[in-house]
Amino acid sequence: AEDRARGAGVSEGYFESGVSAVAAPVRDATGRVVASINATLFGGAKINDALVAEVKRAAAEISRALGHAEGEAAA
């Protein structure tokens, strides 16, 4: 629920100790999620708000290139 509200998935050491990741969905023209983009950090680095925002921005840019209108999600 937190990831959905944030608009990005965040994992800090959940899968493997010392590895953190943030991912955001890439949507097509219909609003359907067709891919994702992520950033992975190693060595115990922590995810911060700026990194989450940048990953979300990149996903939104790719989504726009695929014809997705901001704020539209698939039903």
Side-chain angles (χ1 to χ4, degrees):
E2 290 176 23
D3 290 343
R4 184 178 297 274
R6 183 185 303 112
V10 174
S11 170
E12 292 185 316
Y14 298 145
F15 181 70
E16 186 171 330
S17 180
V19 178
S20 298
V22 58
V26 173
R27 297 178 183 275
D28 67 9
T30 68
R32 189 176 73 117
V33 175
V34 295
S36 68
I37 186 167
N38 76 34
T40 303
L41 305 173
F42 300 94
K46 297 292 182 183
I47 303 295
N48 60 44
D49 292 341
L51 181 59
V52 172
E54 184 61 20
V55 170
K56 288 173 56 176
R57 185 206 59 77
E61 185 175 325
I62 295 167
S63 296
R64 280 191 299 277
L66 294 175
H68 178 66
E70 195 74 27
E72 276 185 22

